[in-house]
Amino acid sequence: MAQFQFVMRSGPTPGVTFPLDGDQLTIGRDSTNGVAINDAEISRKHARMMFQGGKYVLEDLGSTNGTFVNGQRLAGPVVLKPGDVVSLGEQIVLMYDAIAGDAGATVAVSRKAVQASPPPAYSAPQQQSYAPPPQQHYSAPPPAAKKGNMTPVIIGVGALLFICACAGFFWWVDATYRWCTFFPFISGC
């Protein structure tokens, strides 16, 4: 029997394991999801996983910040393979893993993991047919926002100060009748 799980690599609770059980489960911020991750970057119903042919198929549910597999933004359903890195937005990173288990074995779970992840919500199995797309299309993840680049602000403030200084100088020259002192090449000086 193969059992699948997510292990949080980065996010609000790194190291927490989310066992994946059921034919269909959702991932999101809402506590009713099979994989509930309480983080503002995740949509209430962010993504859905369907178990088909012994594998989980992941698809984004129109989330605001996107779902990525191995750095590629999902444009349609994708069959997950053990070792795939699933990112929800930019900050939440989950490792998808398959673990071989003994049906009679006792599973030990840390108290922290039990408190951090609510039991998966059960949904009745639904009969759905799934045909993988002939070719999976990905789009590149959005570029990371640059933070802390003050160069354009400094240039803008410097240009504004230069313009103000020039205007002040010419106003002073005009108000004190010193055109000929500073600009002797002007006709009439």
Side-chain angles (χ1 to χ4, degrees):
M1 171 179 109
Q3 184 180 3
F4 297 94
Q5 66 181 6
F6 276 135
V7 178
M8 184 174 288
R9 291 294 175 98
S10 67
T13 52
V16 169
T17 300
F18 298 94
L20 304 176
D21 296 319
D23 290 335
Q24 181 174 331
L25 42 95
T26 53
I27 303 169
R29 187 174 69 233
D30 192 84
S31 62
T32 61
N33 289 296
V35 176
I37 302 172
N38 189 11
D39 190 274
E41 192 168 327
I42 297 181
S43 299
R44 284 182 183 88
K45 298 283 185 189
H46 196 97
R48 174 176 47 211
M49 295 184 65
M50 295 169 288
F51 193 72
Q52 297 173 349
K55 298 179 181 181
Y56 273 105
V57 178
L58 175 68
E59 72 177 315
D60 187 77
L61 294 176
S63 64
T64 303
N65 294 319
T67 303
F68 303 83
V69 174
N70 300 324
Q72 300 295 312
R73 188 173 188 139
L74 295 187
V78 172
V79 176
L80 293 177
K81 299 177 295 303
D84 281 346
V85 176
V86 175
S87 302
L88 308 170
E90 293 182 13
Q91 303 298 321
I92 311 301
V93 178
L94 305 170
M95 175 65 75
Y96 177 73
D97 201 8
I99 48 177
D102 179 3
T106 302
V107 177
V109 180
S110 72
R111 184 174 299 205
K112 181 178 177 184
V114 171
Q115 290 171 350
S117 63
Y122 176 77
S123 61
Q126 297 178 0
Q127 293 294 331
Q128 293 183 0
S129 62
Y130 172 77
Q135 184 178 12
Q136 296 174 355
H137 298 280
Y138 299 101
S139 62
K146 292 183 180 178
K147 297 177 184 166
N149 188 357
M150 294 297 294
T151 304
V153 173
I154 292 170
I155 291 173
V157 169
L160 183 63
L161 289 175
F162 178 74
I163 291 170
C164 288
C166 289
F169 172 75
F170 285 114
W171 176 80
W172 176 76
V173 166
D174 190 51
T176 57
Y177 304 104
R178 297 186 184 199
W179 284 103
C180 290
T181 304
F182 288 100
F183 305 103
F185 52 86
I186 295 177
S187 60
C189 287

